[in-house]
């Protein structure tokens, strides 16, 4: 049990002025003893409120009694001034000093026992952290498996879509140059490539030229084919000068079979090679229309030439015109009569 | 900025030859043939940090065919064609499908097609009037061979395309760098018409047995017709199914057909979206995996190169303990 029983303080200070009145004794001593009462067994407390009582210790017999008298007071600090140098007391002081040093050191066991409760909490924290990390990994893997491929979240996870693009807060990518692709990353150590969130390994191609030649020979033996030059509908007869191997029979509803070639082959070729000017058919139609217009104009001219304006009357047909006019006059007269009768009746009424 | 640094070479492969002595398609061996022999790692990969240099004679007349329908010929034509235009080459894409015209839909140019090859032949318009220039990339032009209701005169098919190609070579603004012909499905008159003027071919196939058989047949017909430069694009590759051995790998397909590999296009749902929008995949920002693959295939086409390595999906890297906290 640690406790401080006494504290010895060696000082050359002169306390004559403050203490001298009471004690009437000068204390030039080189030894001042502070004897304190243990207030707390565990802690050393220095209380400045204690009273310092200086007693003169002249005889060797009296100081113990005086000290004993003051021991009853807990708050009294006894300053004991001793005379000079008695060598047996020096050795005793050193021993007691050494003893006090040892007793003031707290034992390790005591410290460990004090901290034993904290170890449990540290272990609990570590275990909780590991558990949280494991649960988090499991949840991430589960969500990755559950996410449908091709969904927006999957695209974002794979790095093919940026989440900021949908919210309109991302910066535009400068990807006009197809040669520098920031989404392709090479691993310098291994032969792996990371693209769009997936890791790939490069596997060498195993096909050799000899194998290719073997396959070509195999195909040449398996597939004997001549390019067909003649397309005939099913049911048509084979022309005499055509090689049967070059004939391709096509069904009746095939686009080739349902088309009537009303255009000459040379003309078609010419049309394809035309670089400028009006296309053939447009030109042909235009020319046809031009001819038609000219023909119409010619016909009008002819009509205009044969009919003279001065002699227009001679070419009139009065009979027909007259019969028409007479017919019209008769109709008008009949209408007038009807209207005239009606008007006369109205006038009579009014 | 990280970039895919794969270096291309026209050198021979450094691999050891495998023992292949019989027809893999008709043999009784299992369908998914795995090559157990380990090859030495290939050093040469494709280089992307420079503009591709045009190889071969101009114009390069390429027909894109497959035999089986629905494998992605028209999609490949649109995306490869636009990739070539982005690289700076002048491209003319010809939709040689009589009666079922789709290339204009994929490119978003369906409202601008007024004249077709049939009108040119009949004399209703000139060839330059029938060409539809893409406003996004002015060096890309589309020519449709016919409208759905009009028919090409019988017997003109192959010759008409030859005349067209000749006329394009001699046009005043210069010969195009590439003439890409989208071939119809099947091996009938439409196919014969489309392959007539071609010098080289791209065979599009998917990793399933039906497409492979048709592709093999078409390859044989092309070789009989004199087209020797035939390269293959494997479309709709599912790396997850390949990992689970439910689908043939790209290397297995190559081993069965014996053709050089121009590209391997992964399955991507963006293809459907781009088709419906009339916005080709290669123009997407950010680019998708399939778009990147099409760009790479176009790059190899320009340089007459082929793939030396194939990408196989792997598990992502294992992270350290502390990554649990960081995510």
């Amino acid at each position: 049990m640690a406790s401080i029983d006494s504290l010895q303080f060696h000082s050359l200070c002169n306390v004559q002025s403050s203490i001298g009145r009471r004690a009437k004794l000068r204390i030039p001593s080189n030894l001042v003893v502070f004897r304190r009462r243990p207030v707390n067994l565990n802690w050393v407390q220095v209380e400045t409120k204690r009273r310092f009582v200086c007693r003169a210790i002249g005889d060797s017999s009296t100081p113990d009694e005086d000290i004993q008298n003051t021991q009853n007071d807990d708050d009294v600090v006894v300053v004991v001034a001793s005379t000079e140098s008695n060598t047996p007391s020096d050795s005793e002081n050193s021993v007691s000093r050494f003893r006090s040093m040892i007793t003031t050191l707290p034992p390790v066991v005591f410290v460990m026992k004090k901290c034993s409760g904290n170890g449990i909490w540290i272990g609990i924290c570590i275990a909780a952290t590991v558990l949280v990390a494991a649960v988090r990994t499991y949840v991430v893997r589960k969500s990755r498996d559950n996410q449908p491929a091709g969904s927006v979240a999957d695209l974002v996870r794979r790095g093919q879509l940026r989440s900021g693009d949908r919210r309109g807060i991302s910066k535009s990518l400068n990807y006009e140059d197809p040669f520098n692709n920031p989404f392709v990353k090479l691993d310098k150590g291994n032969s792996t490539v990371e693209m769009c969130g997936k890791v790939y390994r490069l596997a060498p191609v195993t096909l050799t030229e000899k194998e290719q030649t073997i396959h070509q020979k195999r195909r040449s033996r398996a597939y004997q084919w001549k390019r067909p030059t003649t397309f005939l509908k099913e049911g048509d007869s084979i022309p005499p000068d055509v090689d049967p191997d070059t004939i391709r029979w096509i069904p009746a509803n095939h686009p080739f079979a349902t088309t009537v070639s009303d255009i000459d082959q040379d003309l078609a070729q010419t049309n394809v090679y035309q670089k400028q000017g009006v296309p053939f058919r447009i030109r042909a139609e235009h020319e046809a229309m031009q001819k038609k217009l000219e023909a119409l104009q010619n016909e009008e001219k002819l009509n205009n030439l044969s009919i003279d304006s001065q002699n227009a009357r001679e070419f009139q047909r009065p009979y027909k015109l007259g019969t028409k006019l007479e017919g019209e006059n008769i109709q008008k007269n009949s209408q007038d009569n009807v209207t005239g009768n009606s008007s006369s009746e109205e006038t009579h009424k009014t | 900025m990280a970039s895919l640094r794969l270096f291309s070479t026209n050198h021979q492969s450094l691999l050891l030859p495998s023992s292949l002595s019989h027809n893999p398609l008709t043999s009784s061996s299992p369908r998914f043939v795995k090559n157990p022999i380990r090859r030495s790692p290939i050093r040469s990969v494709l280089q992307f940090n420079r503009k591709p240099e045009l190889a071969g004679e101009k114009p390069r007349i390429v027909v894109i065919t497959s035999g089986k329908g629905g494998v992605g010929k028209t999609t490949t034509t649109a995306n490869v064609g636009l990739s070539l235009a982005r690289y700076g080459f002048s491209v003319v894409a010809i939709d040689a499908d009589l009666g079922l015209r789709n290339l204009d839909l994929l490119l978003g140019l369906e409202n601008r097609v007024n004249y077709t090859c049939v009108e040119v032949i009949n004399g209703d318009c000139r060839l330059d009037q029938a060409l539809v220039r893409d406003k996004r990339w002015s060096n890309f032009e589309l020519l449709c061979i016919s409208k759905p209701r009009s028919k090409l005169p019988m017997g003109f098919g192959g010759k008409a395309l030859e005349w067209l190609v000749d006329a394009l070579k001699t046009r005043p603004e210069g010969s195009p760098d590439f003439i890409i012909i989208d071939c119809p499905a099947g091996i009938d008159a439409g196919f014969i018409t489309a392959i007539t003027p071609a010098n080289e071919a791209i065979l599009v196939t998917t990793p399933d047995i039906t497409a492979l058989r048709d592709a093999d047949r078409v390859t044989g017909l092309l070789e009989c017709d004199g087209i020797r430069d035939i390269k293959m694009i494997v479309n709709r590759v599912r790396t997850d199914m390949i990992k689970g051995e439910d689908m043939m790998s790209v290397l297995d397909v190559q081993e069965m057909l014996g053709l050089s590999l121009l590209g391997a296009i992964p399955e991507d749902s963006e293809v459907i979206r781009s088709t419906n929008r009339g916005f080709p995949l290669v123009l997407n920002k950010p680019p998708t995996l399939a778009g990147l693959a099409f760009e790479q295939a176009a790059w190899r086409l320009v340089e007459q190169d082929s793939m030396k390595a194939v990408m196989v999906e792997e598990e992502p890297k294992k992270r350290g303990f502390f990554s649990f906290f960081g995510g």
Side-chain angles (χ1 to χ4, degrees), chain B residues 13-33:
Chain B
S13 166
L14 299 176
L15 301 167
L16 297 171
S18 64
S19 57
L20 184 71
S21 58
H22 58 276
N23 181 6
L25 287 176
T26 57
S27 64
S28 59
S29 58
R31 282 183 176 182
F32 306 145
V33 178

Side-chain angles (χ1 to χ4, degrees), chain A residues 136 160 176 179 181 199 201 203-205 211-212 215 218-219 223 227 256 259 265 271 273 277 279 281, chain B residues 2 15 18 23 48 50 121 123-124 126 151 154 196 216 225 257 285-286 292 308 310 312 314 324:
Chain A
R136 185 178 174 277
Q160 295 183 21
E176 291 304 325
F179 305 111
N181 193 338
V199 178
R201 179 180 54 84
V205 161
E211 290 171 3
Q212 278 185 291
H215 277 284
R218 171 185 61 80
R219 281 190 287 261
Y223 308 115
R227 165 177 278 275
F256 278 179
T259 304
Q265 187 172 344
N271 291 336
Y273 281 107
R281 180 166 286 186
Chain B
L15 301 167
S18 64
N23 181 6
F48 269 105
R50 62 175 177 85
I121 290 173
D124 293 327
R126 295 191 308 269
K151 307 291 188 293
M154 188 164 63
T196 304
D216 190 67
D225 201 42
L257 290 179
K285 290 180 184 181
L292 288 172
K308 299 293 186 289
V310 176
V312 178
E314 278 203 336
F324 288 155

Side-chain angles (χ1 to χ4, degrees), chain A residues 5-154:
Chain A
D5 294 327
S6 63
L7 177 65
Q8 288 189 348
F9 174 69
H10 295 274
S11 168
L12 292 174
C13 60
N14 192 352
V15 294
Q16 181 182 4
S17 59
S18 59
I19 303 171
R21 287 182 193 176
R22 229 173 142 180
K24 293 182 182 178
L25 181 65
R26 211 166 87 176
I27 307 171
S29 66
N30 53 0
L31 181 63
V32 175
V33 177
F34 291 92
R35 191 173 287 177
R36 296 185 186 278
R37 303 291 173 211
V39 176
N40 191 345
L41 291 175
N42 294 330
W43 300 103
V44 175
Q45 288 182 347
V46 177
E47 295 185 1
T48 55
K49 293 181 182 176
R50 295 184 181 232
R51 291 186 290 122
F52 289 87
V53 176
C54 294
R55 298 212 181 260
I57 303 171
D59 297 332
S60 61
S61 61
T62 58
D64 292 334
E65 290 176 0
D66 292 334
I67 290 168
Q68 283 176 4
N69 290 331
T70 58
Q71 278 182 358
N72 294 328
D73 297 335
D74 292 335
D75 294 333
V76 173
V77 177
V78 176
V79 179
V80 177
S82 65
T83 56
E84 287 183 0
S85 71
N86 295 324
T87 49
S89 65
D90 285 340
S91 64
E92 287 176 359
N93 290 334
S94 63
V95 170
S96 61
R97 221 181 307 150
F98 180 69
R99 224 183 259 170
S100 66
M101 277 172 63
I102 291 171
T103 53
T104 53
L105 287 175
V108 175
V109 175
F110 177 70
V111 172
M112 287 294 290
K113 284 187 180 175
K114 270 196 284 184
C115 298
S116 62
N118 296 332
I120 296 171
W121 289 108
I122 291 171
I124 290 171
C125 288
I126 292 172
T129 308
V130 169
L131 185 66
V132 165
V135 167
R136 185 178 174 277
T137 308
Y138 175 73
V139 168
V140 166
R141 278 190 194 161
K142 197 91 185 238
S143 64
R144 196 180 295 171
D145 293 336
N146 289 338
Q147 273 176 4
S151 64
V152 173
D154 187 50

Side-chain angles (χ1 to χ4, degrees), chain A residues 129-130 133-134 136-137 141 144 149-151 155 158-162 165 173-187 190 192-193 195-212 214-220 223-229 231-233 248 250 253-269 271-283 285, chain B residues 1-6 12 15-18 20 23-25 35 39-40 42 45 48-52 86-87 98 120-129 137 151-157 159 163-164 166-167 170-172 187-189 192-193 195-196 216-217 219-221 223-225 239 251 254-260 269-270 273 285-289 292 295-296 299 307-317 324-325 327:
Chain A
T129 308
V130 169
R136 185 178 174 277
T137 308
R141 278 190 194 161
R144 196 180 295 171
S151 64
L155 287 175
R158 284 157 58 187
Q160 295 183 21
L161 188 67
R162 295 185 299 170
D165 287 341
L173 290 171
N174 295 324
Y175 190 69
E176 291 304 325
D177 184 4
F179 305 111
N180 288 319
N181 193 338
F183 293 94
V184 177
K185 298 169 193 171
L186 271 186
D187 186 6
N190 304 327
T192 56
V193 178
M195 285 169 63
C196 298
K198 288 187 178 179
V199 178
Y200 297 89
R201 179 180 54 84
L202 292 174
V205 161
T206 58
L207 187 74
T208 60
E209 285 191 7
K210 187 179 172 185
E211 290 171 3
Q212 278 185 291
I214 291 170
H215 277 284
Q216 285 174 3
K217 285 180 184 172
R218 171 185 61 80
R219 281 190 287 261
S220 65
Y223 308 115
Q224 303 289 337
W225 184 71
K226 270 188 188 177
R227 165 177 278 275
T229 55
F231 296 94
L232 294 177
K233 250 188 318 185
R248 172 60 62 97
I250 56 177
N253 59 351
H254 193 274
F256 278 179
T258 55
T259 304
V260 176
S261 57
D262 54 353
I263 191 166
D264 187 20
Q265 187 172 344
D266 294 331
L267 182 60
Q269 188 174 2
N271 291 336
V272 171
Y273 281 107
Q274 186 176 2
K275 299 286 187 297
Q276 53 191 356
V278 182
F280 169 76
R281 180 166 286 186
I282 305 295
R283 191 171 65 240
E285 287 177 356
Chain B
M1 189 179 285
S3 61
L4 185 61
R5 296 180 181 276
L6 303 174
Q12 289 186 1
L15 301 167
L16 297 171
S18 64
L20 184 71
N23 181 6
L25 287 176
N35 193 346
R39 310 290 185 188
S40 58
I42 292 295
V45 283
F48 269 105
N49 52 358
R50 62 175 177 85
K51 183 182 173 180
R86 282 178 72 179
Y87 288 147
L98 288 147
V120 175
I121 290 173
N122 291 336
D124 293 327
C125 70
R126 295 191 308 269
L127 178 59
D128 60 304
Q129 292 172 328
W137 299 97
K151 307 291 188 293
L152 194 65
M154 188 164 63
F156 276 10
K159 291 178 191 171
W163 299 334
L164 280 172
D166 283 338
T170 57
R171 61 179 183 173
I187 51 173
D188 61 348
I192 296 165
T193 301
I195 68 171
T196 304
D216 190 67
R217 178 83 187 270
T219 307
L221 299 182
E223 288 171 347
C224 288
D225 201 42
T239 50
L251 296 179
Q254 188 182 34
E255 194 172 354
M256 295 181 81
L257 290 179
L259 296 172
S260 301
S269 56
E270 279 296 316
R273 290 194 196 98
K285 290 180 184 181
T288 60
L289 278 176
L292 288 172
E295 283 184 22
Q296 295 169 19
W299 201 97
M307 285 179 83
K308 299 293 186 289
V310 176
M311 288 198 290
V312 178
E313 187 177 344
E314 278 203 336
E315 292 293 332
K317 289 179 187 175
F324 288 155
F325 304 96

Side-chain angles (χ1 to χ4, degrees), chain B residues 143-154:
Chain B
L143 175 66
C144 297
I145 203 164
S146 71
K147 287 181 181 174
R149 293 185 181 180
S150 64
K151 307 291 188 293
L152 194 65
M154 188 164 63

